[in-house]
Amino acid sequence: MVATTELIYQRPESFTDVHTHYCPGCTHGVAHRLIAEVLDEMGLRENTIGVAPVGCSVFAYRYFKMDFVEAAHGRAPAMATGIKRVLPNNTVFTYQGDGDLASIGMAEIMHAAARGENISVIFINNAIYGMTGGQMAPTTLPGMKTTSSPLGRDVELAGYPIRMSEIISNLDGAGYVVRRSLHNPANIRKAKKAIRLAFETQQRGLGFSMVELLSSCPTNWKLSAQEALDFIAEKMVPVFPLGDYKVHPTLESLKV
Amino acid sequence: MVATTELIYQRPESFTDVHTHYCPGCTHGVAHRLIAEVLDEMGLRENTIGVAPVGCSVFAYRYFKMDFVEAAHGRAPAMATGIKRVLPNNTVFTYQGDGDLASIGMAEIMHAAARGENISVIFINNAIYGMTGGQMAPTTLPGMKTTSSPLGRDVELAGYPIRMSEIISNLDGAGYVVRRSLHNPANIRKAKKAIRLAFETQQRGLGFSMVELLSSCPTNWKLSAQEALDFIAEKMVPVFPLGDYKVHPTLESLKV
Amino acid sequence: MEETSIIISGFGGQGTLFAGQVLAYASMEHGLEVTWIPSYGPEMRGGTAHCTVIVSEEPIGSPLVRNPDVVLALNLPSVDKYEDIIKENGVLVANSSLFNRQITRQEINSLLIPANKIAEEIGMSRLGNMIMVGAMLAMKPILPLDVVKKSLEEHIPERHK
Amino acid sequence: MEETSIIISGFGGQGTLFAGQVLAYASMEHGLEVTWIPSYGPEMRGGTAHCTVIVSEEPIGSPLVRNPDVVLALNLPSVDKYEDIIKENGVLVANSSLFNRQITRQEINSLLIPANKIAEEIGMSRLGNMIMVGAMLAMKPILPLDVVKKSLEEHIPERHK
Amino acid sequence: MAVTGWIVVDDLYCKGCGLCIEACPQEVLVLDKERLTPKGYHPAKMTQETCTGCGICAVVCPDAAITVYREKPEKVARR
Amino acid sequence: MAVTGWIVVDDLYCKGCGLCIEACPQEVLVLDKERLTPKGYHPAKMTQETCTGCGICAVVCPDAAITVYREKPEKVARR
Amino acid sequence: MAKELLKGNHAFAEAAIRAGVEAFYGYPITPSTEFLEYMSARLPELGRAFVQAESEVSAINMVYGAACTGKRVMTASSSPGISLMMEGISYIAGTEVPAVVVNVMRGGPGLGNIAPSQGDYYQMIKGGGHGDYFPIVLAPASVQEAIDYISLAFDLADKYRALVHVVVDGNMGQMMEPAELPPLREIPDKVPDWAVSGAKDRDPNILTSIYIDPVDEEVTNLRLLKRWKEIEKNEVIYKEYEVEDAEVLVIGFGTAGRVASSAVREAREAGIKAGLLRPITLAPFPADRLRELADRVKRILVVEMNSGMMLDDVLRLVKGKVPVEFYGRMGGMTPLPDEIYGEIRRVAENKGPGAQDPREDWIPRLEKVIAGEK
Amino acid sequence: MAKELLKGNHAFAEAAIRAGVEAFYGYPITPSTEFLEYMSARLPELGRAFVQAESEVSAINMVYGAACTGKRVMTASSSPGISLMMEGISYIAGTEVPAVVVNVMRGGPGLGNIAPSQGDYYQMIKGGGHGDYFPIVLAPASVQEAIDYISLAFDLADKYRALVHVVVDGNMGQMMEPAELPPLREIPDKVPDWAVSGAKDRDPNILTSIYIDPVDEEVTNLRLLKRWKEIEKNEVIYKEYEVEDAEVLVIGFGTAGRVASSAVREAREAGIKAGLLRPITLAPFPADRLRELADRVKRILVVEMNSGMMLDDVLRLVKGKVPVEFYGRMGGMTPLPDEIYGEIRRVAENKGPGAQDPREDWIPRLEKVIAGEK
Ligand SMILES: Cc1ncc(C[n+]2csc(CCOP(=O)(O)OP(=O)(O)O)c2C)c(N)n1
Ligand SMILES: Cc1ncc(C[n+]2csc(CCOP(=O)(O)OP(=O)(O)O)c2C)c(N)n1
Ligand code: SF4
Ligand code: SF4
Ligand code: SF4
Ligand code: SF4
């Protein structure tokens, strides 16, 4: 009897060979990996144009082996619209944090969805502003301490967390809007499937697609990488329920 | 037997003696009147600060006998926030059109609601940009002809109408969010009651309040004043269902 | 012929801007330099609308003028507004259908015509503005009538035919 | 004493910025002019953090310097980066716990000390940075040791006590 | 005896949009084609005595141009 | 005979975050305290032979630092 | 083609279409709205991209996106809308992608009014956005010029991967004049090698304005600056009237310059040796030409529809060689020929040294004018 | 009070609090974020208003609102964030309400980087917003100066119902220096008569920037301009070092000016007659003082952390009386004393006429410097 060696997993094609600047254990990296894997599987790398945000993922373009542009803070959906309208046959996606998408970029994301722009949005919800050093985000949990809510978010003064997936699912232009989490293997697998469906939505011209991903920020949460994942499971999921908020009928039939 | 004369209705105290610049039959005027009547009844005129938008109601401050500021296009909720936070005991309201509130001002209205700002918003939805001469609004009906959708709004290219009340009711900071219409006496009476409740919400510090009013634009719809009211009833109400989208429990008990 | 400046003024619905455009088209057809500039802004503001037309053989510098050579006043507010600023020996054509007062300035050539009435009589109630233009040309023949007629026919909106 | 410029450099977690602040506080207490300026920006970028401290008897112009009088290098990258730019006859104190190479420049006064090791020995593993400061002061007594000690005690974060 | 009422339309505000005319359940209102307001509109006016003073015209008027009165019978108080 | 697998951790990418270690159902991973990567981290490494090649470590790795292999028994095809 | 009677905003829009614009992203605002309205009708029928954005902030970022694809793209707005574009404009400049922005200027500051103005000169020329960048700024003065220079704007944008502003005032956007449109240009189907289009059979293209290491940013700033110096050498455009023997040199751009030409003609008829320099490229400014003229003329009169903005550039270049005077109208007022003629007469007779800041003498004069018009 | 060792951004924020700021509305951005963070902790405990707005657009409009109540209000941001505020800033100026805006400048254009820069000079001084308005601009160069001038900023804002910008670069925001804070001021409870507060026992107050009739807008523009002329007369502030007998006059503001002071000292030690003029009010610019000095010195060297912006104002005022040279670092680079000292030496020896545009000689010199630093 001979034995053959099977390659179970290797680094995706759509990645460059660059060491990322993300903090150890930050699940921005997982989100990146899933996007790269999906684009590999769909064979879209050479057709794709990514739009990087301003946020910790500002350098995303260093890590993906594909054309990329760098948007102004919050404006990625507008920039993606500008691109997609003149290059309708390209795959265009934005990658945005919660400050970028839900705070300064609220108008742009809402209207991109309302217009039914055929773009895919990967929305990283880590309940905080990572890049600038841990200020409050619109998604920050009530009572959560940040550098701009030092006593914990006081909902009376600073308001309540915004649930973007629920809100955007109200817009008729949206074809696929779901929330997933990156805190363990099972959820990571579900997240990947969702990202696949988002790009399938775009491929089929079914309108705007967004995958909201609950993601960790060990550094600004001041937790270890693993503790941060537990924080997602225990603290974030209850406030941001995982689930499908809008799924275009055509997609339901789809097997991926 | 003698008879006494009873005064059934007269022009509200909170109005100035100025002839408005609105087109004949435009229900901006009705909305103005209802606000003035409510402020009269609640005795709030001397305590109120209004925030006028950029839109046909840009000159609202000429018609209300109270302190007023004029906001930048879409930013009335931010301006109102700035005022209310330093004058918490004053009554602060914004008056905004659909271009102002739902298009350029999307981020500001969403976040004012999310923060639960104790302000009241009167939102005039007339499905069009009046002041600038009849361009498409986010609320323009599918297929509706405007000067920037000359062949009728093509939802594939220009997207779908945005239903703000439904969307804002998703925000935990919102205390009172309803949609009413100004197309006939019965609905006008309901609208007034809603405006009253919006200000009651603010008085009681129950958070953000908004009354969306379906309103006419005979000029840019190119209809007579009465035809325009019929257009609201027949064409707009089906797309923008009237109703209560969020009512703070404390208000339900309230008798006005 | 040297530069002639014309202001046409009236209520929103009276077709003042269109009348000016007809003159502008005609001037162009006739090989003259011309500029047309409206009072702009949200129509809904109501009140009077006016436009300034400058016709000349040379390139036109300013499209605006302080003291016009000619004024077509389609309503009373327009007469009130422009009577005093018309150039010496200038022309004022006023629509007497909408008011009844005398023109006070003597040294200008003024003409009162019941434009609405005439227009209704000839069954073209919407063309009061053109009646005024015709009258003006009679007094100050800056353009051949037929050229203006032609440009009217070419540019009049379907719904008015 | 004329102006002395000090750069303290190391990995993010090594307390380089704090060490500089302790010097700055001490200088102020001692009645000297002082500026402290960090390399700033999102910590998460990782890599080395450094700060520049300038101590002087006169008002300080530039808070930045090209060729520092003194460098405290808490890790190898810092030694590599600064060894060459130290001023002639300047001082280099390097933390030999994190590397083992020689200092090549001869005309500067260099001192290699196993700061981490020493710190652990005296049971204050977090204070390797201060060990370096102490060593520096021994070589270049710009401030009395007790003044620095005092400012350390006053400003050290609770959790480090 | 039937309650009777009447309205006063203020020329300063009325724009002759006609909404009150459409709304009036008694159909007692018309636009006064004889008169022009200072702003150049034909204002609304009452034509008959059958106004009940219900105030619906005032409810729909965009320009708060209407004041509504009603006459109410009443016993004379005894000395 | 049990299917066996193994992984290769790329020093260029690994940041020693330890998530793979927590995730591995076989608990065959640890951080290599002896070694530092060029970026100055202690990388993950395998300690035992009981890796099943399930790939879970790779699923959780934020830095795509892990390559997973599995050995599969197989009949020799007859001539 | 024959001349047609064209409305400014419509003509500008059609000119852009003829020049091969493939996308227009904008938001309505008086007095530039007809520009957007025209595009909303024409572009879809040509199969090109039109989006009425939710705001000017969004519009300029859509432009930014399309600019990264190397396609010809533009927006048009008016003063307050342009202010909202400042961040995006700075990004476009920093990323070195070509784009054309039309500003139909109105009275300001703030909401101001919708009347014609030139009060955005600083904003458009000096860079209202953050950081060191250098937009090319064209200021046509007739519908025909606007048609011609909007085409040029796209060529310059592509040639230098630069941001090009076309500034006109409300008069220009609203007026009708006979003008001739160029034929519809072929849209080139080759993509510039720097543009994003999908990294097929080539390395990825990255377009960004971030240079986190100051050393790299400085190199970028230097590249932009040197490119600008090139532009200053190559692209200056201006029109002159009667400057040969002029003693009084009038300088004005756009409508102000055009109205001034009537006044200069009148002055010449009255025997005053007046001449006009009308810059068409406000940036790069016709600096060399102005320096030459400053050596020849006796006095300079700057005429603007603002409080004296181009005036600063003139003062910087004239270096006190001759007295510089100023006449401006503000807030949406357009100066009329007789006003400027009066100023020319006054300047021709004035032998005084001229104030350190010419606006100091002008303020009381303007106050008189305003009182007179009341 | 005794001196404390204070971090720039924290000191600025505390200074504003001591000066009686009643509301801070802002949005995080490096390198000004600590300003907001500090306010988020301090203001609520004082019962004053703090809101982290959803964006800078919203933040400036919140400031606009609070400014209309006559209370002291401010925001702080950095370059890209400031660009987003341009519309709101123009509205504030047009409505004539007092407000203070702090810009901790970083490298640009676009996203650029977070390193210290002075590349927003044009934007802050010439008005990056639309229309004719005139902000007061203060440029402190030490933590102590920043503390002092932030208090002054509020006083000037109230005195003139004006917009006051305080510009510093990233260095200033991040550095620590010993400095003394003033005592906490009483907050006056009387409301200015123009402010909105509810129309009780008085006619309504209306605050707006719309003047739909150009005649009214022009009167407003004139009022703003005349007020500005007042400010130019009354509020100029600058610092000087060794200018008495100076032959080489160095001009720089903020960090560049401060670094230059070291270089000037060095030059003096080397026997070069160098002096420094450091404007603290960039607007109003110390024009008269510069004109005087220009009559005395032999040569001028302008030093900035940008591509030569204040340089234009210097050239305009010097009017070619003496050659003006330029040395700048860009993109987040801070010039060091030895560089500037080298420039002073060079300038002291240079007898040439100086280029029309001093930047032309500078570009190749900078290229050498960059090459050398590599
Ligand atoms: C106009 C503007 N405002 C503010 C900033 C500063 N800034 C950069 S990233 C960021 C927020 C980042 O948070 P998030 O979007 O949640 O992404 P994360 O870093 O958490 O991944 C901010 C406020 C900026 N670059 N531009
Ligand atoms: C920044 C900016 N962009 C655009 C405009 C032009 N503008 C004025 S009002 C308006 C929209 C008005 O429509 P809406 O808000 O629906 O109010 P309405 O006039 O219909 O009552 C626009 C686009 C402006 N004044 N400022
Ligand atoms: S700061 Fe937070 S979000 Fe940013 S890279 Fe580090 S862990 Fe990830
Ligand atoms: S344009 Fe429309 S919205 Fe505006 S006043 Fe006229 S009818 Fe009313
Ligand atoms: S998860 Fe990846 S990065 Fe983290 S320790 Fe394991 S291999 Fe290294
Ligand atoms: S493949 Fe499975 S068993 Fe092997 S190391 Fe990874 S997680 Fe553990």
Side-chain angles (χ1 to χ4, degrees), chain C residues 74-145:
Chain C
L74 278 69
N75 65 0
L76 182 56
S78 305
V79 179
D80 299 341
K81 183 170 172 198
Y82 292 106
E83 177 175 359
D84 297 347
I85 65 169
I86 296 177
K87 205 179 271 164
E88 300 244 323
N89 313 318
V91 173
L92 169 61
V93 183
N95 174 11
S96 57
S97 300
L98 289 195
F99 70 96
N100 45 8
R101 82 153 162 88
Q102 295 310 311
I103 302 303
T104 43
R105 262 180 84 185
Q106 297 307 330
E107 85 294 1
I108 59 169
N109 314 304
S110 56
L111 171 64
L112 297 184
I113 50 166
N116 297 27
K117 197 159 140 300
I118 299 174
E120 270 156 31
E121 280 164 12
I122 62 171
M124 307 186 113
S125 52
R126 296 174 154 288
L127 289 190
N129 52 353
M130 294 317 298
I131 304 284
M132 305 273 296
V133 170
M136 182 270 277
L137 289 173
M139 294 178 72
K140 199 168 169 75
I142 52 167
L143 290 166
L145 201 61

Side-chain angles (χ1 to χ4, degrees), chain F residues 5-7 20 23-29 46 50-58 66 68-69:
Chain F
W6 68 93
I7 70 165
C20 55
C24 172
Q26 300 301 101
E27 304 184 348
V28 300
L29 300 178
M46 274 179 74
T50 54
C51 164
T52 61
C54 68
I56 285 179
C57 51
I66 305 179
V68 184
Y69 300 95

Side-chain angles (χ1 to χ4, degrees), chain B residues 21-23 26-28 56 126 130-131 216-220, chain C residues 44:
Chain B
H21 69 286
Y22 298 112
C23 305
C26 171
T27 49
H28 261 304
C56 279
N126 60 9
M131 183 187 210
S216 70
C217 178
T219 299
N220 290 298
Chain C
M44 112 228 142

Side-chain angles (χ1 to χ4, degrees), chain C residues 42-53:
Chain C
E43 313 316 317
M44 112 228 142
R45 290 265 150 67
T48 67
H50 70 269
C51 64
T52 304
V53 178

Side-chain angles (χ1 to χ4, degrees), chain A residues 28 54 56 98-100 126 128-132, chain G residues 87, chain H residues 27-28 56:
Chain A
H28 262 302
V54 179
C56 279
D98 41 31
D100 194 73
N126 60 9
I128 204 155
Y129 285 10
M131 184 188 210
T132 39
Chain G
E87 188 201 23
Chain H
Y27 188 75
E56 292 86 351

Side-chain angles (χ1 to χ4, degrees), chain H residues 172-205:
Chain H
M172 294 275 308
Q174 298 298 321
M175 77 189 288
M176 291 178 94
E177 272 188 309
E180 189 173 334
L181 285 158
L184 192 67
R185 281 200 223 173
E186 277 299 313
I187 290 180
D189 52 10
K190 69 162 275 305
V191 182
D193 53 12
W194 50 262
V196 294
S197 60
K200 187 159 174 47
D201 311 325
R202 61 161 170 78
D203 289 342
N205 284 337

Side-chain angles (χ1 to χ4, degrees), chain B residues 141-220:
Chain B
L141 307 179
M144 186 171 168
K145 284 197 170 65
T146 73
T147 55
S148 60
S149 58
L151 304 179
R153 181 178 191 164
D154 175 349
V155 295
E156 287 306 312
L157 292 174
Y160 299 81
I162 299 179
R163 291 178 294 272
M164 288 308 298
S165 292
E166 288 82 335
I167 287 167
I168 289 179
S169 63
N170 283 282
L171 295 164
D172 298 348
Y176 184 71
V177 180
V178 303
R179 183 182 290 118
R180 299 288 186 264
S181 175
L182 300 174
H183 69 272
N184 65 25
N187 280 282
I188 291 172
R189 289 210 173 86
K190 290 209 191 87
K192 179 176 175 181
K193 214 160 158 231
I195 292 169
R196 172 71 187 251
L197 277 169
F199 282 103
E200 294 286 353
T201 306
Q202 182 174 173
Q203 289 292 92
R204 288 168 170 63
L206 301 177
F208 177 88
S209 52
M210 178 174 98
V211 179
E212 176 175 353
L213 297 171
L214 302 187
S215 185
S216 70
C217 178
T219 299
N220 290 298

Side-chain angles (χ1 to χ4, degrees), chain H residues 89-282:
Chain H
I89 281 174
S90 179
Y91 270 73
I92 289 170
T95 310
E96 298 166 74
V97 286
V100 173
V101 174
V102 175
N103 181 1
V104 185
M105 297 181 280
R106 58 186 245 180
L111 188 48
N113 58 37
I114 57 179
S117 164
Q118 300 180 332
D120 304 345
Y121 180 93
Y122 280 151
Q123 182 181 40
M124 304 308 286
I125 280 72
K126 304 286 176 191
H130 61 284
D132 295 274
Y133 69 97
F134 311 93
I136 296 170
V137 184
L138 300 170
S142 71
V143 172
Q144 185 65 61
E145 277 189 358
I147 291 169
D148 301 342
Y149 292 123
I150 280 176
S151 314
L152 178 66
F154 284 100
D155 295 339
L156 291 175
D158 288 346
K159 180 175 175 190
Y160 295 103
R161 285 180 62 175
L163 180 70
V164 182
H165 295 317
V166 178
V167 296
V168 295
D169 63 59
N171 289 316
M172 294 275 308
Q174 298 298 321
M175 77 189 288
M176 291 178 94
E177 272 188 309
E180 189 173 334
L181 285 158
L184 192 67
R185 281 200 223 173
E186 277 299 313
I187 290 180
D189 52 10
K190 69 162 275 305
V191 182
D193 53 12
W194 50 262
V196 294
S197 60
K200 187 159 174 47
D201 311 325
R202 61 161 170 78
D203 289 342
N205 284 337
I206 309 298
L207 290 169
T208 176
S209 66
I210 188 171
Y211 297 94
I212 203 69
D213 182 345
V215 174
D216 302 332
E217 182 70 67
E218 187 170 47
V219 168
T220 304
N221 292 144
L222 200 53
R223 182 172 60 247
L224 290 173
L225 179 58
K226 289 173 78 175
R227 187 179 305 157
W228 178 247
K229 286 279 149 200
E230 270 310 296
I231 293 170
E232 280 185 332
K233 257 198 226 69
N234 308 337
E235 310 298 347
V236 168
I237 309 173
Y238 56 86
K239 286 249 168 76
E240 292 178 333
Y241 307 86
E242 320 257 15
V243 295
E244 307 68 23
D245 62 341
E247 295 176 349
V248 175
L249 177 66
V250 182
I251 308 177
F253 68 92
T255 296
R258 176 177 176 155
V259 174
S261 68
S262 298
V264 166
R265 199 183 302 157
E266 208 173 331
R268 283 281 171 176
E269 284 161 11
I272 300 169
K273 289 201 166 142
L276 173 69
L277 172 65
R278 180 162 65 81
I280 284 168
T281 51
L282 298 179

